[in-house]
């Protein structure tokens, strides 16, 4: 089973990215063949500052490594180290109808939020499909908002196979984990673009400050509270054991508990989980060549796979290149 997923280097990674996507990427390395990449071509749809893109790309690599991605087990690479994906994106665009892309929810969401409606943003799902298909990926672990893109990828694989009467592409499947949507400090979906994130590598003090500022209703301390509608409870559930979740559930319903208590516990969990990663990251960062070496060797491995698939793609559609 080959697992593949990507994360855009478009800002600081947050709890939603971790529980929605990165955690399952890192866990998958123990059981499956795992390809994880930094989607820097995709990030050009939002980051148009060369130094910033270079820095954010390196940051995502350090973040993954600090959080436990082991380059001996999983292949971590930069999208742009396999330039063949842009060639495949072009080829897929010639078998894909404009109507499919017009149905993409994320394009509508992003332009509604004010992002410029460039052709790159419109064609984003085609490049994503190329990312997935070029490695013959079986499973793509992502957050809920990405499921449509994976379904579109399977559609594009089918269009190509049908057009050229071949079986070049495998049809991939999305894999969701239990934390489908992680709420932000304001109760909306946590997202870089909403300014409501808890960033994974914030220092302890600012992380705690943000946690203590999470929005709650104004039910007085002594009264019973509804855990199912509470942001703090939703976040606690990501960290706590089943028994502890049941305990908090009971404390909420009984009354006599202030939201501050739940926030303090959340801050403790955050520190327990991400404090050690923060220290590892600081150590890794001291060696500027480490992350680059990991990416370079991951890129070589990924590119070899991609080149094999691309030879079949070109052959199927009659594109000749001189080697
Ligand atoms: P953002 O919305 O912050 O820009 P991205 O779109 O870059 O995040 O998402 C990267 C990955 O993290 C995707 O797989 C996405 O599904 C997942 N993800 C992002 N935010 C959340 C969230 N609040 N809950 C669950 N998963 C999320
Ligand atoms: N679109 C994904 C996101 O915003 C990032 C991404 C690009 C991706 N290519 C991919 C995810 C291929 C999975 C597979 O999070």
């Amino acid at each position: 089973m080959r697992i593949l997923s990507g994360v855009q280097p478009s800002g600081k990674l947050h709890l939603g990215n971790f529980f929605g996507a990165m955690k399952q990427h890192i866990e998958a390395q123990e059981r499956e063949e795992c390809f994880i990449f930094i989607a820097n071509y995709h990030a050009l749809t939002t980051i148009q500052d060369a130094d910033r893109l270079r820095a954010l790309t390196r940051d995502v690599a350090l973040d993954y490594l600090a959080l436990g991605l082991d380059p001996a087990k999983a292949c971590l690479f930069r999208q742009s180290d396999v330039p063949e994906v842009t060639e495949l994106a072009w080829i897929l665009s010639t078998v894909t109808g404009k109507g499919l892309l017009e149905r993409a929810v994320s394009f509508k969401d992003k332009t509604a939020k004010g992002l410029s409606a460039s052709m790159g943003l419109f064609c984003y799902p085609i490049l994503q499909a190329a990312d997935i298909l070029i490695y013959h990926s079986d499973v793509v672990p992502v957050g809920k908002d990405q499921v449509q893109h994976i379904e579109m990828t399977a559609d594009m694989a089918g269009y190509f196979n049908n057009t050229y009467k071949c079986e070049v592409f495998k049809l991939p499947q999305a894999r969701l984990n239990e934390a489908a949507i992680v709420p932000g400090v304001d109760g909306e979906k946590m997202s870089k673009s909403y300014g409501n994130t808890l960033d994974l590598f914030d220092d302890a003090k600012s992380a705690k400050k943000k946690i203590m500022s999470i929005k709650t209703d104004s039910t007085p301390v002594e009264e019973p509270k509804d855990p199912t509608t509470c942001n703090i409870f939703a976040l606690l559930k990501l960290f706590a054991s089943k028994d502890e979740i049941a305990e908090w559930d009971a404390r909420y319903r009984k009354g006599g508990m202030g939201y501050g208590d739940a926030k303090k516990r959340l801050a403790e969990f955050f520190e327990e989980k991400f404090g050690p990663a923060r220290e590892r990251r600081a150590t890794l960062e001291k060696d500027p060549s480490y992350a680059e070496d990991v990416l370079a060797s991951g890129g070589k491995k990924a590119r070899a796979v991609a080149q094999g698939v691309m030879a079949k793609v070109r052959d199927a559609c009659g594109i000749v290149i001189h080697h």
Side-chain angles (χ1 to χ4, degrees):
M1 195 75 105
R2 183 172 287 162
I3 307 294
L4 170 126
S5 198
V7 171
Q8 288 192 76
S10 53
K12 285 190 182 158
L13 296 176
H14 54 73
L15 219 56
N17 298 136
F18 182 75
F19 285 106
M22 301 169 80
K23 179 169 177 262
Q24 13 173 19
H25 303 163
I26 295 166
E27 285 168 358
Q29 72 186 1
E30 305 301 336
R31 308 179 301 272
E32 287 152 313
E33 189 190 12
C34 221
F35 283 70
I36 304 297
F37 72 95
I38 305 172
N40 54 349
Y41 283 134
H42 277 109
L44 288 174
T45 57
T46 50
I47 307 289
Q48 297 182 324
D49 171 326
D51 286 338
R52 185 141 184 263
L53 184 59
R54 274 187 282 266
L56 286 170
T57 305
R58 193 198 66 130
D59 282 351
V60 174
L62 286 171
D63 291 353
Y64 261 110
L65 293 165
L67 288 167
L69 190 122
D70 178 353
K73 293 180 180 159
C75 177
L76 178 68
F77 65 104
R78 234 176 339 230
Q79 186 181 31
S80 55
D81 280 328
V82 187
E84 286 81 2
V85 286
T86 60
E87 179 190 355
L88 179 57
W90 171 257
I91 294 176
L92 291 174
S93 79
T94 62
V95 294
T96 302
K98 187 162 144 267
L100 183 80
L101 296 170
E102 279 165 350
R103 289 194 288 279
V105 175
S106 89
F107 178 77
K108 289 180 206 156
D109 282 354
K110 287 180 177 175
T111 49
K113 271 191 241 147
L115 267 188
S116 112
S118 65
M119 285 311 293
L121 195 65
F122 185 67
C123 297
Y124 184 113
I126 305 186
L127 181 57
Q128 183 160 354
D131 288 327
I132 296 168
L133 299 176
I134 207 164
Y135 305 107
H136 274 169
S137 317
D138 298 294
V139 172
V140 188
V142 279
K144 205 174 175 185
D145 55 307
Q146 293 295 313
V147 172
Q148 190 192 25
H149 286 168
I150 315 307
E151 290 165 357
M152 291 167 82
T153 300
D155 289 342
M156 289 183 230
Y159 300 150
F160 184 91
N161 288 350
N162 287 338
T163 303
Y164 294 106
K165 315 243 172 320
C166 64
E167 293 293 326
V168 170
F169 291 127
K170 273 192 182 175
L171 274 50
Q173 273 190 339
R175 183 191 284 168
L176 280 176
N177 70 356
E178 64 287 356
I181 295 190
V182 176
V185 294
D186 57 358
E188 297 296 311
K189 178 198 146 180
M190 188 178 288
S191 171
K192 283 164 224 136
S193 34
Y194 298 161
N196 64 355
T197 59
L198 294 172
D199 298 333
L200 300 178
F201 291 94
D202 258 358
D203 62 80
K205 216 171 140 199
S206 20
K208 183 153 188 203
K209 205 169 148 203
K210 282 190 203 157
I211 289 171
M212 298 313 284
S213 78
I214 294 175
K215 212 169 122 192
T216 56
D217 61 28
S218 48
T219 318
V221 173
E222 59 282 2
E223 278 182 32
K225 300 177 180 62
D226 182 2
T228 60
T229 55
C230 175
N231 303 330
I232 310 164
F233 188 79
L235 293 168
L236 271 177
K237 268 169 77 176
L238 301 169
F239 294 93
S241 66
K242 274 214 175 85
D243 288 352
E244 189 172 341
I245 296 169
E247 262 170 47
W248 280 103
D249 189 281
R251 284 184 68 185
Y252 265 73
R253 292 178 197 278
K254 190 159 164 249
M257 178 215 75
Y259 287 120
D261 296 345
K263 288 180 180 175
K264 277 191 200 128
R265 182 67 183 121
L266 182 61
E268 268 172 31
F269 270 131
F270 191 92
E271 192 49 29
E272 258 167 46
K273 175 92 192 156
F274 299 111
R278 195 186 304 129
E279 278 169 31
R280 270 198 302 278
R281 194 183 189 289
T283 312
L284 294 176
E285 205 173 6
K286 283 193 193 125
D287 177 357
S289 59
Y290 176 67
E292 184 52 40
D293 291 348
V294 168
L295 293 177
S297 81
K300 258 195 198 154
K301 182 176 165 203
R303 192 169 190 195
V305 176
Q307 284 174 332
V309 175
M310 276 314 287
K312 291 191 185 136
V313 171
R314 293 189 199 107
D315 191 42
C317 57
I319 290 293
V320 179
I321 63 170
H322 181 73
H323 286 285

